[in-house]
Amino acid sequence: MDFSADTSGLYRFLAERESAVIAAAISGVHDATDHLLATSRNEAPLKTGTLRITAGKKVTKENGQIYGEVFYSATEEGSSGVRFNYALRVHEMGEYKSPTTPGTRPKFLSRPLRTNERLYQRFINDAIRRALR
């Protein structure tokens, strides 16, 4: 016994909406990175404000993939005169013994990313669903 199904209508439907779906996915990634940027900024130390000022985000589409990036680019000069990545150092510290601002903490970027991972997936999925309607 053979079974067959005509899927040409489905393929036409998907082809017609491909650009809308890609645009929606990009929009969803923007929403997710905006949220992560805001959340992580609130947790980043505020002693001088350097970390929060240098934070940013970027969304790109390359080779059929959509990438969202949140970054902190603070660098400082150490006592030896060598510049180092201050953002990375503060992110990877152990618990702050006396944070200058209550509610700030190390892992200010990775912690909110892990905590909100499902929310960010939902941002992207919901945007794509809307594009398919």
Side-chain angles (χ1 to χ4, degrees):
M1 173 185 266
D2 287 338
F3 175 80
S4 66
D6 181 9
T7 57
S8 60
L10 173 62
Y11 286 114
R12 265 193 317 278
F13 173 83
L14 292 174
E16 291 168 358
R17 288 174 176 73
E18 180 180 15
S19 62
V21 168
I22 291 170
I26 290 170
S27 177
V29 172
H30 271 289
D31 292 344
T33 54
D34 286 341
H35 187 277
L36 178 57
L37 179 59
T39 304
S40 66
R41 267 187 179 149
N42 288 337
E43 292 188 16
L46 186 59
K47 185 175 184 178
T48 64
T50 303
L51 282 175
R52 294 182 184 196
I53 291 169
T54 63
K57 70 157 208 162
K58 181 170 70 169
V59 175
T60 56
K61 180 179 172 268
E62 298 175 17
N63 302 320
Q65 300 289 317
I66 300 166
Y67 300 94
E69 175 185 2
V70 172
F71 56 86
Y72 288 79
S73 60
T75 58
E76 288 194 357
E77 191 171 303
S79 57
S80 65
V82 176
R83 294 196 67 74
F84 66 94
N85 186 335
Y86 174 73
L88 180 61
R89 180 176 171 195
V90 172
H91 184 270
E92 296 302 319
M93 283 179 140
E95 281 301 311
Y96 304 148
K97 296 200 184 330
S98 56
T100 57
T101 306
T104 62
R105 64 188 92 210
K107 305 292 186 189
F108 51 87
L109 182 57
S110 60
R111 195 201 65 75
L113 176 62
R114 281 193 311 275
T115 301
N116 295 302
E117 182 179 4
R118 287 188 178 158
L119 175 64
Y120 300 152
Q121 289 172 347
R122 193 168 62 239
F123 285 164
I124 298 164
N125 293 341
D126 289 350
I128 292 170
R129 270 191 215 94
R130 286 190 301 273
L132 289 171
R133 289 186 189 143

